[in-house]
Each structure stands twice: as structure tokens, then as C-alpha cells.
Amino acid sequence: MYRSGIKRLLDIIISATALILLSPLFVILSLFVYATMGSPILFRQKRVGKDKKVFEMMKFRSMTSKKDANGELLPDRDRLTKTGDFLRKTSLDEIPELLNVLKGDMSIVGPRPLLVEYLPYYTQRENLRFQARGGLIPPDALYGSVTPTWDNQLEFEAEYVEKLSFRNDVKIVLKTFGLLFKRVESDFGQYERESLSTERERKNG
């Protein structure tokens, strides 16, 4: 019952309510991003959701578009601004994803929607993640992990889908508040992880 309908109904209610309550903060952060980085204010990127459906995920922009002499984008660490670092550490950059939740692309809680280019690299078990909508809040929080390895993250997500329940979602949401403090303390905004495709090609190569 929860998996088939109640979860989606709660997503609609929670995301709509949150967007209304957070609208002043949304405006303030939009102005903050525009003042420090210019337009666009939102970063949009194609991600893969439930049943491997591709959608455009939205976040507040955290990096500039600076390029090198050859016209290639500079590494992330060289484009991340102080504003972007703050937004990432506090997870405020993810507020626009509430729009994705309201539209039905995502859920409040679920596996983290990842890049389209990662599709060939999942194991059969890891593909379980596509049986649920991707989440604004991932199940990593349940394990207290701020920077999980790819293997750990994808296992957490497969296990989440197997045990999907209202009780489990509530536990993940509650655990997330503690994880936010860890993200600030660990300077999460500066955290960079090797891409899943690069890691798995290296391991299999």
C-alpha cells in the first residue's frame, strides 16, 4: 500500500508544503546566487529515475563556467565558489529538487538520481535502485555516512528498495538532520569523488 500509492501522496503534500514555507528562502538564495555567480541561477542536469526514465534535475548553481585556454571547463574545485561551497555543505543547493518531487520525477526519500552515463556500470543487484523514485534524501543517512564509497552507496540503495516502508523513510529523514552537521564539519562542499564510470573501468581494466 505504501509503495504503490501512499508514498507518492506524501511526496506531493510534503513537497508542496515545503515549497510554500521555503519560498522566502528560495528567493533569497536565488538572489544570492545571482549576485555572486550571475545567471543561470539553477543548475540543470539529466539524471536517471524510476524505471530508468531520464529527467532534468534542478539544483542551485554552485560553480562558475570558467574554461581553460582550450575552451574546456576547469576542474570542479577551480570553479566552485564560496557561495557554492556553503550551499553544498548545508545542502541548501538541493532545495529546487522539491520541484522535481512535486512533478513526480523524484521522491522525498529514495536512491540518489545519478548520471545517464553510469547506466552500463550497475550490477544486477544495483539495478534494484530503479524500482523506486530517486530521492532528495538518500538512504546513506541511515548509515551515518557522509562520503560513502560507490559500492557502499549502491548497496545501501538496493537494500533500501528491498525494505521500502514508511517506517524506514521516517528513520532516514530523522537521521538526515545529524548528517547535515557532519557535512558541515567535514567540509563536504569541497568533497570530490571519482566518477562511477571511471572507478569501475579502472577496477575491470
Side-chain angles (χ1 to χ4, degrees), residues 75-147:
D76 289 1
R77 63 180 176 275
D78 295 327
R79 295 187 293 122
L80 182 67
T81 65
K82 289 183 179 180
T83 298
D85 180 52
F86 168 75
L87 292 174
R88 286 188 180 187
K89 282 193 295 190
T90 57
S91 293
L92 291 172
D93 63 319
E94 298 182 8
I95 288 178
E97 290 172 41
L98 288 166
L99 294 168
N100 289 120
V101 176
L102 189 61
K103 287 170 57 182
D105 298 326
M106 294 173 60
S107 180
I108 295 296
V109 181
R112 192 69 185 150
L114 298 176
L115 299 174
V116 178
E117 67 188 60
Y118 292 171
L119 279 172
Y121 297 96
Y122 300 114
T123 65
Q124 183 176 352
R125 174 167 174 75
E126 290 166 357
N127 272 302
L128 285 173
R129 70 195 314 279
F130 298 113
Q131 293 181 18
R133 283 186 176 85
L136 172 63
I137 300 173
D140 308 359
L142 199 59
Y143 303 88
S145 181
V146 177
T147 55

Side-chain angles (χ1 to χ4, degrees), residues 1-8 10 160 164-166 169:
M1 181 77 72
Y2 179 67
R3 185 189 292 257
S4 62
I6 295 177
K7 182 174 171 67
R8 177 60 191 145
L10 288 174
Y160 168 80
L164 200 156
S165 67
F166 174 72
D169 278 2

Side-chain angles (χ1 to χ4, degrees), residues 7-192:
K7 182 174 171 67
R8 177 60 191 145
L9 178 61
L10 288 174
D11 284 339
I12 294 170
I13 294 170
I14 293 170
S15 59
T17 303
L19 283 167
I20 293 169
L21 294 177
L22 296 176
S23 56
L25 179 60
F26 197 106
V27 172
I28 291 169
L29 291 177
S30 295
L31 293 173
F32 195 34
V33 171
Y34 183 77
T36 56
M37 285 179 273
S39 61
I41 292 169
L42 296 181
F43 170 73
R44 301 169 185 265
Q45 189 176 56
K46 292 189 182 301
R47 298 292 179 100
V48 185
K50 188 175 185 291
D51 300 324
K52 298 187 178 180
K53 180 181 177 182
V54 177
F55 69 95
E56 194 172 65
M57 191 173 80
M58 295 174 282
K59 289 186 173 187
F60 279 122
R61 188 176 168 208
S62 60
M63 293 187 291
T64 68
S65 301
K66 290 182 179 178
K67 298 179 180 180
D68 60 21
N70 297 318
E72 299 291 331
L73 285 173
L74 293 173
D76 289 1
R77 63 180 176 275
D78 295 327
R79 295 187 293 122
L80 182 67
T81 65
K82 289 183 179 180
T83 298
D85 180 52
F86 168 75
L87 292 174
R88 286 188 180 187
K89 282 193 295 190
T90 57
S91 293
L92 291 172
D93 63 319
E94 298 182 8
I95 288 178
E97 290 172 41
L98 288 166
L99 294 168
N100 289 120
V101 176
L102 189 61
K103 287 170 57 182
D105 298 326
M106 294 173 60
S107 180
I108 295 296
V109 181
R112 192 69 185 150
L114 298 176
L115 299 174
V116 178
E117 67 188 60
Y118 292 171
L119 279 172
Y121 297 96
Y122 300 114
T123 65
Q124 183 176 352
R125 174 167 174 75
E126 290 166 357
N127 272 302
L128 285 173
R129 70 195 314 279
F130 298 113
Q131 293 181 18
R133 283 186 176 85
L136 172 63
I137 300 173
D140 308 359
L142 199 59
Y143 303 88
S145 181
V146 177
T147 55
T149 63
W150 280 116
D151 288 346
N152 284 340
Q153 176 183 330
L154 296 172
E155 174 56 29
F156 294 160
E157 293 170 344
E159 187 175 313
Y160 168 80
V161 173
E162 289 178 326
K163 299 179 178 179
L164 200 156
S165 67
F166 174 72
R167 180 180 179 183
N168 209 34
D169 278 2
V170 170
K171 285 169 64 177
I172 291 169
V173 170
L174 294 177
K175 288 273 189 177
T176 296
F177 292 105
L179 201 65
L180 288 175
F181 288 107
K182 282 188 177 182
R183 289 179 70 156
V184 173
E185 290 174 354
S186 65
D187 200 17
F188 182 81
Q190 297 288 336
Y191 173 64
E192 284 187 61

